[in-house]
């Protein structure tokens, strides 16, 4: 299974993609997570992407495609299956991905679009907390940790992402509609797009995705 998970910031892409990756043993590639790790490690790439992310702007396509190319080439299980989260985000990235995949004789199985209205996105992102140590994702109201401010998994401190501040959230949404809406049309034209209603509890959204996966696996 080779999947892309698309959707506005905060729609639950990371939450759902991690469940699918665990369940089906897929290579999980989240460009946002990769960039945040590079920033944390203070690498050259981290320095190059930091200001774009802090402003809620997209990182330039060249940098993103290069990162994905390297990850795909170095991953032993990419031929079995993968799930991309937050990539591609521009039509150019989508076309570059097609080229990368055709070079290694692979095709996408499906693109899942998690549909969530903008006002729900704002609620989800403003309440999101992530573990500074292991990256686990929580929500103060929808998915709280057992002990406030502490990760259930590793005991790390829970923090708010820099780009989850209200003014940056608004900009990220604007960028999504300007630059990622065309990616949705691109995959629609290629008959790869499956829409999932992203409202409802995490388990419920996961069940909707499973129903779709069964549908296209049987096509
Ligand atoms: P990235 O990290 O990809 O951020 P994003 O797309 O904005 O998505 P998020 O991680 O914010 O949200 P999500 O949809 O994964 O939701 P989550 O599961 O966490 O990108 C960050 C930045 O990196 C970009 O702005 C850009 O600068 C750069 N970048 C990355 N990729 C790039 C690319 N390809 N090209 C250029 N630039 C790139 O859930 C959100 C919250 O809601 C959580 O608190 C969660 O617990 C909660 N939640 C989840 N599901 C539910 C539910 N069903 N009900 C209630 N709450 C829920």
């Amino acid at each position: 299974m080779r999947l892309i998970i698309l959707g506005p910031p905060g729609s639950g892409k990371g939450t759902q993609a991690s469940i699918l990756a665990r369940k089906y043993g897929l290579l999980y590639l989240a460009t946002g997570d990769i960039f945040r790790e590079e920033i944390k490690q203070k690498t050259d790439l981290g320095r190059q992407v930091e200001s774009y992310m802090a402003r809620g702007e997209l990182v330039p396509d060249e940098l993103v495609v290069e990162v994905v190319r390297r990850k795909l080439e170095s991953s032993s299980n990419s031929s079995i299956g993968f799930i991309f989260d937050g990539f591609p985000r521009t039509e150019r990235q989508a076309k570059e991905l097609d080229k990368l995949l055709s070079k290694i004789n692979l095709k996408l199985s499906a693109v899942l679009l998690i549909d969530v209205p903008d006002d729900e996105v704002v609620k989800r992102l403003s309440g999101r907390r992530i573990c500074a140590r292991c990256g686990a994702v929580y929500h103060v109201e929808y998915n709280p940790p057992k002990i406030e401010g502490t990760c259930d998994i590793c005991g790390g401190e829970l923090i708010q992402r820099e780009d989850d501040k209200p003014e940056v959230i608004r900009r990220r949404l604007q960028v999504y509609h300007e630059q990622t809406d065309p990616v949705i049309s691109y995959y629609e034209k290629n008959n790869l797009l499956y829409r999932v209603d992203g409202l409802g509890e995490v388990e419920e959204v996961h069940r909707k995705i499973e129903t779709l996966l069964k549908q296209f696996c049987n096509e």
Side-chain angles (χ1 to χ4, degrees):
M1 210 159 20
R2 287 178 286 273
L3 303 172
I4 288 173
I5 193 152
L6 272 185
S11 52
K13 301 183 294 296
T15 304
Q16 296 297 333
S18 336
I19 299 175
L20 293 171
R22 261 198 315 273
K23 193 160 174 181
Y24 296 105
L26 306 175
L27 163 73
Y28 174 40
L29 197 150
T31 39
D33 288 350
I34 295 172
F35 294 144
R36 275 184 290 280
E37 187 56 30
E38 296 281 337
I39 294 172
K40 203 164 141 189
Q41 302 298 331
K42 301 191 188 318
T43 64
D44 277 352
L45 176 61
R47 274 186 284 276
Q48 290 180 71
V49 303
E50 194 166 13
S51 68
Y52 294 101
M53 292 179 72
R55 284 180 279 129
E57 303 293 338
L58 293 187
V59 169
D61 288 337
E62 300 72 34
L63 291 177
V64 181
V65 172
E66 182 54 21
V67 161
V68 173
R69 188 187 64 75
R70 271 195 259 136
K71 287 277 171 194
L72 265 181
E73 281 177 3
S74 66
S75 298
S76 53
N77 64 341
S78 61
S79 57
I80 305 163
F82 57 69
I83 183 159
F84 289 153
D85 162 9
F87 174 84
R89 259 176 154 93
T90 64
E91 200 169 337
R92 184 162 159 223
Q93 290 180 19
K95 289 182 176 160
E96 291 294 331
L97 176 62
D98 285 347
K99 284 190 216 158
L100 286 177
L101 292 178
S102 85
K103 265 192 206 155
I104 45 177
N105 284 322
L106 292 179
K107 279 200 171 125
L108 287 172
S109 314
V111 177
L112 304 171
L113 170 65
I114 315 233
D115 259 331
V116 171
D118 288 2
D119 54 347
E120 175 68 13
V121 160
V122 175
K123 269 193 232 155
R124 287 190 187 179
L125 290 184
S126 41
R128 172 166 60 186
R129 298 294 179 270
I130 55 166
C131 174
R133 199 184 295 161
C134 75
V137 178
Y138 298 86
H139 190 281
V140 289
E141 194 182 328
Y142 305 137
N143 177 27
K146 291 189 183 89
I147 303 167
E148 199 185 323
T150 305
C151 178
D152 293 350
I153 302 165
C154 73
E157 184 198 1
L158 300 188
I159 54 165
Q160 187 169 34
R161 256 169 59 174
E162 276 299 311
D163 59 351
D164 281 348
K165 309 243 161 83
E167 61 289 0
V168 189
I169 294 176
R170 276 194 296 277
R171 180 63 192 145
R172 284 163 68 198
L173 268 170
Q174 203 180 4
V175 167
Y176 174 77
H177 291 303
E178 285 166 8
Q179 304 202 45
T180 308
D181 280 354
V183 178
I184 299 170
S185 316
Y186 178 81
Y187 287 122
E188 216 157 23
K189 274 188 231 138
N190 287 290
N191 291 323
L192 281 167
L193 194 84
Y194 293 80
R195 286 175 190 272
V196 184
D197 173 8
L199 291 178
E201 295 197 353
V202 171
E203 232 343 277
E204 198 184 329
V205 178
H206 173 67
R207 278 199 298 274
K208 292 180 207 169
I209 293 177
E210 285 285 331
T211 307
L212 278 176
L213 293 183
K214 281 193 195 112
Q215 183 190 319
F216 75 70
C217 284
N218 290 329
E219 273 171 6

